[in-house]
Amino acid sequence: MERTSSGIIDDPASNRFLVPRRVFTEQATFEREYAAIFDTCWLYLGHASELPAPGSFVTRKVARRPILFTRDRDGEFHALFNACPHRGATVCRERSGRSPAFMCLYHGWTFGSDGHLKTLPGSSGYPEGFKTDPQKQMVHVPRMERFGDFFFISFARDGEDLATYLAGAGDYLKLISEHSTSGMQIVGGTQEYAIRGNWKLLSENSFDGYHAACNHSTYLEYLKSANGALSATPLAGEAYDLGNGHAVVEYSAPWGRPIASWVPLWGEAGKAEIDGVYAELVGRLGEPRADRIAHKNRNMVIFPNLVVNDIMAITVRTYFPTAPDYMEINAWALAPREESEWRRKYRLYNFTEFLGPGGFATPDDVEAIEKCQQGYATAGDALYNDISKGMIRADAPSFDDEAQMRCFWREWDRRVTTAKVMADA
């Protein structure tokens, strides 16, 4: 039997993979996770389309830190800690917008989009050169890198570059960018909600093909009752280890996809448009890649907490824990810029009715996650979660096995075990 110091039992010889339930409830584990994972990994910040012009900005909270994501007058992107170097007040209080400068409400210090101090009231009371002192500027996040139009930040001052960290997940981000000839864009609006459960449960849930038939049966019945909303395509596919804790399930499914997978509900006019989109994909990318883009679905988790689900619509989702049993979620819709009004309408229908916090799927998932968290209070002899489905297979793991979750847990275990060793040293 192989047992790790975190308590995970990873025993391929006996087809056993068990995760101790205490890692979902312990405050000590939660603190180690922040030190070993959220303070060191590359974390998703935003998409280039959210800052379409110089002066654009958005504010985010990333791993408990307030971040100001800006584009300066020269078009350069910046990730700044949203705190005034004077007394620490939040500098920008708006969610998003355009502004060449940001003024702190407390004493009126004003900063440019690059974080440089521009003006301050009562400057005669300060020595010469005060305004250019490096310590008086807004602080940049230690590292920010870009992969295509996806921006990531890291609070660690050194470590592997973003492309190395993403490993095989990079090709899936590239695949999504290839949906469009003119670029992908975040569609206006953010879905925000919270779950009273441990964040790792949402990592598991986001690419768990096993729960769909049971937990989302209402959605599947709804599609069956909507004349023409389903094709004859079966749910079938595989799971792939993308390295560094990232994994994906890629599969066929019966629902329509506005990128280029038609269902009868959309009518003959819709079929003509979808056929045209598919022909363009084939001409630009070749048949195999066009077929993957149009006819396969992908649920991907980029470790630790970025979900990119390219299914009946595309959702980009992050979630950060504030306690062992509580997390805050943000999600955005991603779509081709040149998408017609008709396809955008169906994309957003799909996005809200399945993926949204008021849709069919997300409330099911929230309920399941919260019930799991409540169940962990039983303690006693029910000590482990079983994550072993598919370990007996000699061939590729199915999309409804749990191989992708084991990828996540092995990386989680590697990181928190190292953090524990460092803490004990």
Side-chain angles (χ1 to χ4, degrees):
M1 178 185 298
E2 182 180 345
R3 185 189 298 265
T4 73
S5 59
S6 71
I8 289 177
I9 297 174
D10 185 359
D11 187 8
S14 298
N15 300 308
R16 291 208 306 162
F17 195 101
L18 304 177
V19 174
R21 291 177 177 171
R22 61 179 174 77
V23 305
F24 298 98
T25 61
E26 289 179 341
Q27 185 67 29
T29 297
F30 172 75
E31 296 300 338
R32 280 204 309 277
E33 288 172 340
Y34 258 94
I37 295 173
F38 294 108
D39 289 350
T40 61
C41 288
W42 285 101
L43 304 173
Y44 179 70
L45 174 62
H47 192 267
S49 65
E50 296 179 89
L51 305 180
S56 301
F57 70 88
V58 297
T59 55
R60 297 262 148 87
K61 188 162 69 170
V62 179
R64 301 189 285 198
R65 291 128 162 129
I67 305 296
L68 176 58
F69 183 31
T70 69
R71 193 171 180 183
D72 67 23
R73 64 184 181 182
D74 297 322
E76 296 297 318
F77 294 84
H78 302 271
L80 306 165
F81 288 109
N82 193 8
C84 184
H86 181 218
R87 299 289 181 84
T90 300
V91 173
C92 180
R93 293 170 290 153
E94 303 296 325
R95 298 291 300 272
S96 63
R98 288 188 66 181
S99 176
F102 305 94
M103 187 182 76
C104 177
L105 67 88
Y106 200 1
H107 297 93
W109 286 28
T110 302
F111 304 87
S113 295
D114 57 2
H116 288 158
L117 178 60
K118 296 169 69 72
T119 62
L120 70 164
S123 58
S124 61
Y126 293 105
E128 184 178 354
F130 182 86
K131 197 169 71 172
T132 59
D133 183 342
Q135 291 187 339
K136 306 306 181 286
Q137 319 307 313
M138 292 183 71
V139 177
H140 284 73
V141 172
R143 289 191 293 161
M144 179 179 74
E145 289 191 28
R146 177 177 185 170
F147 189 93
D149 283 340
F150 297 92
F151 283 83
F152 292 76
I153 57 176
S154 174
F155 300 114
R157 297 193 175 277
D158 50 28
E160 60 195 344
D161 62 85
L162 177 60
T164 300
Y165 177 81
L166 289 174
D171 185 59
Y172 282 84
L173 292 180
K174 185 172 183 290
L175 189 77
I176 288 169
S177 73
E178 292 171 350
H179 287 209
S180 172
T181 58
S182 60
M184 303 292 284
Q185 65 178 174
I186 295 291
V187 181
T190 303
Q191 295 178 347
E192 296 183 349
Y193 54 103
I195 301 177
R196 296 186 182 279
N198 188 271
W199 69 277
K200 299 182 291 295
L201 293 171
L202 186 53
S203 294
E204 290 184 352
N205 170 271
S206 296
F207 52 11
D208 175 11
Y210 190 26
H211 80 288
C214 180
N215 200 37
H216 300 319
S217 59
T218 302
Y219 177 68
L220 296 174
E221 289 300 319
Y222 158 73
L223 291 181
K224 289 177 184 177
S225 66
N227 187 33
L230 287 177
S231 70
T233 305
L235 278 166
E238 296 181 3
Y240 300 95
D241 180 354
L242 303 177
N244 296 333
H246 323 313
V248 67
V249 290
E250 189 164 10
Y251 56 98
S252 61
W255 47 71
R257 286 165 47 80
I259 180 58
S261 186
W262 177 80
V263 289
L265 177 67
W266 295 346
E268 290 304 311
K271 186 175 190 304
E273 182 170 341
I274 291 293
D275 287 347
V277 173
Y278 186 69
E280 188 282 324
L281 288 171
V282 172
R284 177 161 53 94
L285 303 170
E287 182 79 36
R289 198 153 177 95
D291 182 66
R292 281 184 67 197
I293 288 174
H295 301 130
K296 292 294 179 67
N297 297 258
R298 284 157 287 276
N299 292 51
M300 177 169 66
V301 174
I302 296 178
F303 188 91
N305 69 326
L306 172 62
V307 172
V308 182
N309 283 350
D310 176 13
I311 46 180
M312 70 287 293
I314 301 174
T315 185
V316 178
R317 179 191 299 150
T318 62
Y319 41 99
F320 289 98
T322 60
D325 59 353
Y326 196 85
M327 64 180 127
E328 297 173 343
I329 301 96
N330 289 275
W332 304 269
L334 189 68
R337 291 183 187 276
E338 74 278 8
E339 192 167 57
S340 70
E341 182 179 350
W342 175 85
R343 284 196 294 137
R344 180 63 59 86
K345 178 184 73 172
Y346 276 105
R347 179 183 297 276
L348 293 181
Y349 280 171
N350 289 346
F351 183 67
T352 55
E353 76 179 11
F354 185 77
L355 294 161
F360 280 95
T362 298
D364 293 339
D365 293 332
V366 170
E367 179 75 2
I369 288 170
E370 292 189 345
K371 291 307 179 193
C372 287
Q373 194 71 36
Q374 292 167 20
Y376 300 149
T378 59
D381 294 325
L383 301 178
Y384 291 96
N385 286 355
D386 189 296
I387 316 289
S388 66
K389 189 172 186 292
M391 290 182 80
I392 63 170
R393 295 190 196 279
D395 54 357
S398 171
F399 81 100
D400 58 355
D401 286 336
E402 294 167 340
Q404 65 276 16
M405 298 177 194
R406 294 191 288 273
C407 295
F408 171 90
W409 278 110
R410 286 172 178 137
E411 180 67 8
W412 177 90
D413 178 67
R414 184 185 73 80
R415 288 180 176 271
V416 298
T417 298
T418 301
K420 186 175 187 301
V421 170
M422 292 172 62
D424 291 345

